[in-house]
Every structure is written in structure tokens, then in C-alpha cells.
């Protein structure tokens, strides 16, 4: 009994002298004057230096101060003129706001600082705004090209029976030149956009309400006493003809233009172009055209306004 008690006391004393947790090794003794070597720092990540031959094109809007410009389209060979006012505003918070007044009630949408349409706007206004506002995502140099987020021809209004046979698309914007102007630089952009869709509706396929196939008028029967000895002409029933033959349809939109963008100021100095839209073989109902831009051929010109129209200072009701 006494021996066991003595053993326990000795073990307790040894444990009290050893403040290391069980199983932990004693540190290796270091010689006098030894210093720990400095720890290697992880290499800092450095951003590549900007290319002096490339520029970043961005819209620069003062907070709370809207700017406005007018887009006018002069028709060629008849047709309807286009008049639209665009107001751009950078609010205290949130995305940039775009308000448009164009022949209809004002529309409102949002866009990023590079002009990419984020939300809102009908298809026609969205395409026009994209051509006017959208800038390249990355820095660009002279000769570089990029694409725009346009959808110029959409066959959906032709209905589910439309059979697309050909589709062609060219979408290119080019930085043609970059020239100094005072403390700013002028970036000249050249546009070449085109979209074409052609195909057919099968015989007897219903047309959209208000639409019509493009056919020649009915031939009138000759008057009595005229055309004796000749086989009398008969009227052509195009409704019957429509039930026997497919309806061939082609829709095409093109845009060629150029603009001068002030790099430091972040706005257009000038912008113009020609927008053409035509659909053959089919007369669409109003607002149901596969061409997602105003009809006809328009010479477009952009003009900065000194003041913002009062009706566009307030938010428009979204459609």
C-alpha cells in the first residue's frame, strides 16, 4: 500500500514539472544568437500596364444631370420620317436610365456605362438604342472590330408554320481611327450591320391578323363587245392560288454608318448612317413585322440638345 502511494506521488510530481501536453515533443534547442529566417511573402499580383494604343470607350454622365439628343430619320422615296428624343441619366444609385419619346408614349429602360441595354424597351426601340449607345466591352485599338447586341430580323411574327430556308447575319463595328483633339481623343467608329431571313409559309397556312400576301390585283373581265374572237380573260382568285402554292417571304435589315466619339468626355460628337428595312412577299400587320426596326430607308442624324424636354424628366411608365 505504502509503495503504491509513493509511486503515485512520484508520477504526480513528474507531471507537474512537465507543462507540455502528452505526446508533444520538446523543441530542438537552438544555439545562442540564432535568428529565425524571414518568411517568404507571396508574390504580389500586378495588373498589366494599359496598352497606350488602345482606348476604353464609356459613357460618362454626371450624377443627376440628364443629357438629351434628337435622332431624326429622313425617308428615301417616300415613307414615314423618324423623330425620337433620347434622354440619358445617371441616378444617385442604380443603373443608368434611358427615356425615349418616339411617335408613341415615352418608353424607359436601363443601360450600363458601355451602353449595353439591361432592361426595358420594345424590340424596335431596343435595336435603335443598341446601335446608338452600345460601345465595346474591352479596350480597342485602331482596326479592332466588335459586335452589337442587336436582333434586327426575327421571324417569330410569321408564326410557327414559317419554314426558314436562309439566314445571313453580319454584325461589325470597327475603330477606324483615333486622333488627338485638344486634351481629348476622337474615336471614329464605322458600322456595317445586316440581317436577312428568307423562307416560306406552306399552302393554306393562316396569316397573322391584319397581314396579307403580296399578290397582284384581280384581272377584270373585258367589257361586252370588246375583245371579240379572243378568249375571255378570267379573274385570278389569289385566295385559291394561296391554297395551292407556298408563300415565299424575305425580310432584310441593313445599317451603314459612322460616328465620332470623344474618349475623355464620354459622348458622341457626331453620328449618322442609313438604316434600311424591307420585307418581300408579305405585308405584315402593324407592329408584327419580322424586321425589328422602322420600315423603309431612313437617313439617320444625331443632334445634341441644349435642354431636356419636360415630359422626359419624369420616369415613364414601363410597358
Amino acid at each position: 500500500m505504502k509503495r503504491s502511494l509513493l509511486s503515485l506521488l512520484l508520477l504526480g510530481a513528474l507531471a507537474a514539472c512537465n507543462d507540455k501536453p502528452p505526446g508533444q515533443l520538446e523543441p530542438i534547442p537552438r544555439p545562442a544568437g540564432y535568428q529565425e529566417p524571414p518568411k517568404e511573402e507571396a508574390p504580389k499580383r500586378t495588373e498589366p500596364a494599359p496598352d497606350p494604343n488602345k482606348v476604353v470607350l464609356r459613357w460618362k454622365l454626371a450624377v443627376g444631370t440628364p443629357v438629351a439628343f434628337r435622332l431624326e430619320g429622313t425617308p428615301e422615296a417616300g415613307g414615314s420620317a423618324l423623330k425620337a428624343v433620347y434622354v440619358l441619366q445617371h441616378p444617385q444609385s442604380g443603373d443608368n436610365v434611358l427615356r425615349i419619346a418616339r411617335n408613341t408614349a415615352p418608353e424607359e429602360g436601363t443601360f450600363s456605362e458601355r451602353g449595353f441595354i439591361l432592361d426595358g424597351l420594345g424590340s424596335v426601340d431596343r435595336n435603335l438604342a443598341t446601335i446608338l449607345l452600345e460601345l465595346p466591352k474591352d479596350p480597342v485599338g485602331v482596326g479592332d472590330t466588335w459586335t452589337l447586341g442587336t436582333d434586327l430580323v426575327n421571324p417569330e411574327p410569321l408564326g410557327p408554320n414559317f419554314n426558314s430556308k436562309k439566314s445571313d447575319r453580319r454584325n461589325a463595328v470597327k475603330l477606324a481611327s483615333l486622333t488627338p483633339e485638344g486634351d481629348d481623343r476622337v474615336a471614329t467608329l464605322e458600322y456595317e450591320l445586316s440581317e436577312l431571313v428568307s423562307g416560306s409559309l406552306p399552302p393554306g397556312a393562316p396569316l397573322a391578323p391584319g397581314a396579307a400576301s403580296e399578290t397582284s390585283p384581280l384581272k377584270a373581265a373585258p367589257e361586252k363587245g370588246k375583245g371579240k374572237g379572243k378568249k375571255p380573260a378570267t379573274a385570278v382568285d389569289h385566295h385559291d392560288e394561296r391554297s395551292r402554292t407556298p408563300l415565299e417571304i424575305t425580310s432584310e435589315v441593313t445599317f451603314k454608318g459612322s460616328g465620332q466619339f470623344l474618349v475623355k468626355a464620354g459622348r458622341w460628337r457626331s453620328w449618322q448612317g442609313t438604316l434600311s428595312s424591307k420585307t418581300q412577299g408579305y405585308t405584315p400587320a402593324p407592329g408584327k413585322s419580322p424586321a425589328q426596326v422602322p420600315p423603309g430607308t431612313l437617313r439617320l442624324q444625331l443632334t445634341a440638345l441644349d435642354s431636356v424636354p419636360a415630359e422626359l424628366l419624369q420616369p415613364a411608365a414601363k410597358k
Side-chain angles (χ1 to χ4, degrees), residues 34-82:
Y34 175 82
Q35 293 182 352
E36 291 285 344
K39 294 182 179 180
E40 294 185 4
E41 295 183 1
K44 294 182 179 179
R45 185 177 180 180
T46 57
E47 296 293 333
D51 188 339
N53 297 317
K54 291 182 178 289
V55 292
V56 177
L57 303 180
R58 293 292 183 268
W59 286 93
K60 297 174 183 176
L61 304 169
V63 176
T65 305
V67 297
F69 53 85
R70 177 183 291 110
L71 177 67
E72 294 181 293
T74 304
E76 294 184 357
S80 301
L82 170 69

Side-chain angles (χ1 to χ4, degrees), residues 57-112:
L57 303 180
R58 293 292 183 268
W59 286 93
K60 297 174 183 176
L61 304 169
V63 176
T65 305
V67 297
F69 53 85
R70 177 183 291 110
L71 177 67
E72 294 181 293
T74 304
E76 294 184 357
S80 301
L82 170 69
K83 291 184 179 181
V85 175
Y86 292 75
V87 174
L88 314 180
Q89 187 170 9
H90 181 38
Q92 293 289 342
S93 61
D95 299 314
N96 294 329
V97 176
L98 167 66
R99 299 188 185 102
I100 305 173
R102 179 181 66 86
N103 301 335
T104 58
E107 284 204 65
E108 182 176 308
T110 57
F111 67 101
S112 68

